[in-house]
Amino acid sequence: MKCLWCENENAEQTARTGYWELPDGTRAVEITIIPSVSCPSCGMEYQEDHIVDEIEDQLMLIDTKKIDSSISFTDLMSIPRFLKKNYFKL
């Protein structure tokens, strides 16, 4: 896998924890086991854009009051949405 930062070919798929502010700005949540990329060459650890978009869309389309302070990526993505997709995204 190619690192987006240093372009080294030794980047690896991994899972990491991240923190997201809820769309209403009331608090942040810990999201665990997020599909991520880790590069041993430059040391960067990041989530690819499509994963970030999935998380942000999901947080926009669910009842975030029901989320505890920590949730796994899989559990977050399995929460039923109010709408099928984010119609607010331009």
Side-chain angles (χ1 to χ4, degrees):
M1 168 171 247
K2 188 174 184 178
C3 175
L4 294 176
W5 294 92
C6 72
E7 298 185 353
N8 189 294
E9 296 289 339
N10 295 330
E12 303 168 341
Q13 284 291 117
T14 186
R16 295 286 187 246
T17 296
Y19 300 86
W20 255 262
E21 183 176 352
L22 297 180
D24 63 6
T26 57
R27 63 188 173 106
V29 294
E30 175 186 62
I31 304 173
T32 60
I33 318 171
I34 303 169
S36 303
V37 177
S38 178
C39 179
S41 185
C42 69
M44 288 301 295
E45 295 179 348
Y46 60 92
Q47 288 81 39
E48 295 174 293
D49 289 342
H50 70 95
I51 297 293
V52 172
D53 288 344
E54 284 182 46
I55 292 171
E56 291 179 353
D57 284 348
Q58 185 71 352
L59 290 173
M60 181 71 76
L61 298 172
I62 63 172
D63 184 358
T64 57
K65 292 179 177 92
K66 295 180 180 179
I67 299 176
D68 290 329
S69 60
S70 181
I71 188 168
S72 74
F73 175 80
T74 304
D75 289 345
L76 174 66
M77 299 313 288
S78 70
I79 296 173
R81 295 175 169 194
F82 292 130
L83 300 170
K84 290 183 181 182
K85 69 178 212 168
N86 186 353
Y87 295 98
F88 306 105
K89 198 175 212 174
L90 302 175

